[in-house]
Amino acid sequence: LKVRGNACMQQKKYNQARDFYTKALELSPMGPTSHVYYSNRAAALLSMRNFTEAVWDAERSIQLKPEYPKAHARLGLARFLLGQYQEAVESYTRAVELEPTNETSISYLEKSKRKVATALASTRSVVAVDEEHEYDDFDDVSLSSKRTTISQRAKDTVARANSRKSSIHTSKSFPMSQEYLSHQGESSFDTASLSENKLEEANRLKIEGNKAMARRDYSQAIQNYSKALRLAPAGPQSHVFFANRAAAFCYLERYEEAELDAERALALEPEFAKAHARLGLSRYFLKDFQGAVEAYESASMYDPENESNRIYLAKSKLKLEREQSTSARE
């Protein structure tokens, strides 16, 4: 039953995997390998985002075999994802003691320590939005110091964005949404043509969009940001509208559109850290790991204290290394 559960895990059939491990535990709740069944079921529960039950199973596994490193690591991950960062540090510390060469445990131990050190214990669902701190739910912190010199990577990103503006909608093989298609060529408008009333209304719509993001109504947020862009396609805050809409697209897993919006934000404001970060996130999920590394390096340059950017930069580099290693073997 354990072998069948493992096969289901490989196929990402987590519900079935959990059921097989449960049946194995019903047959052997205290056997010589029962700690493995509990630990494996914890892994399935983690994949199902059932973090609390994953904690229980990992703890049961540790009770049966206190020196089993995988159980400590899975307990650490469950606690990390529950926002219990101090407890995660304790679990990963023990996991690393038992398995000192496990890079994943080492990485998450450092992440957990940074979370504790910077007091970022709030859950991802808690957001703060206002005029200056536009919507963000990726554990971003406020920009501490804006660099005045653009790195070559940032210049390259902006150059790519500018060069693609006239052809970007036909270069992809995916259907673009009405929200996006309604704004082709919008960044070519002259700011001088914008009236004060339009700018005020656009800003009001941005605030409404932020409120929609806070209540997780991402489709409504996209509509609000899109209306703001129709009023002020190249105004003083238009880069924020594009970047915020990119965040909404990311939550809806519309990563191609998020990538385009982030690029357009950078075409308007090349030093906007959040746009670089959202470009990196969209590319990460599009499996463009080289592009994600470049974007997150630029994001980290403009917002060096941002924890989320550092984490995703490391993840992107790791994915890129694995991708390159696989290509080399082939």
Side-chain angles (χ1 to χ4, degrees), residues 99-262:
E99 194 175 12
T101 60
N102 189 300
E103 293 184 2
T104 300
S105 293
I106 293 170
S107 174
Y108 267 97
L109 174 58
E110 293 306 312
K111 291 178 186 178
S112 301
K113 286 180 177 179
R114 288 198 296 267
K115 288 285 188 181
V116 171
T118 54
L120 292 176
S122 60
T123 63
R124 285 169 59 89
S125 62
V126 176
V127 297
V129 292
D130 58 31
E131 188 84 11
E132 296 300 324
H133 301 88
E134 62 282 355
Y135 177 79
D136 192 32
D137 193 23
F138 303 119
D139 287 336
D140 281 3
V141 294
S142 300
L143 182 62
S144 59
S145 60
K146 187 174 180 181
R147 304 288 181 87
T148 56
T149 302
I150 299 179
S151 69
Q152 188 58 48
R153 284 187 297 271
K155 289 180 179 178
D156 292 343
T157 298
V158 175
R160 284 196 298 270
N162 283 322
S163 67
R164 291 176 66 188
K165 278 195 287 186
S166 63
S167 60
I168 203 163
H169 298 288
T170 58
S171 62
K172 299 280 186 179
S173 59
F174 56 87
M176 299 304 295
S177 68
Q178 187 59 42
E179 296 102 327
Y180 207 98
L181 291 174
S182 65
H183 294 94
Q184 294 189 44
E186 58 202 351
S187 59
S188 64
F189 282 77
D190 186 352
T191 307
S193 66
L194 298 174
S195 69
E196 192 67 27
N197 288 340
K198 284 186 176 181
L199 290 175
E200 289 180 0
E201 177 63 11
N203 192 59
R204 187 192 68 79
L205 287 164
K206 183 200 78 168
I207 293 171
E208 291 301 313
N210 291 350
K211 291 178 181 178
M213 290 290 280
R215 63 176 183 267
R216 301 184 183 183
D217 189 351
Y218 306 123
S219 295
Q220 182 60 54
I222 288 171
Q223 291 182 32
N224 287 324
Y225 297 137
S226 297
K227 290 177 181 177
L229 283 164
R230 280 196 288 272
L231 290 171
Q237 286 286 299
S238 297
H239 63 289
V240 176
F241 306 159
F242 276 119
N244 285 9
R245 193 170 68 174
F249 279 135
C250 280
Y251 271 102
L252 294 176
E253 299 183 5
R254 290 159 60 175
Y255 301 119
E256 297 92 345
E257 290 162 283
E259 179 186 27
L260 299 180
D261 265 0

Side-chain angles (χ1 to χ4, degrees), residues 30-69:
M30 300 287 288
T33 57
S34 296
H35 64 286
V36 176
Y37 308 157
Y38 276 118
S39 180
N40 286 10
R41 191 169 69 177
L45 291 165
L46 282 167
S47 297
M48 295 164 62
R49 304 187 66 79
N50 194 336
F51 306 134
T52 300
E53 290 188 33
V55 167
W56 298 339
D57 269 2
E59 288 178 336
R60 291 180 185 128
S61 178
I62 292 169
Q63 288 172 359
L64 292 174
K65 191 174 180 67
E67 297 185 356
Y68 187 45

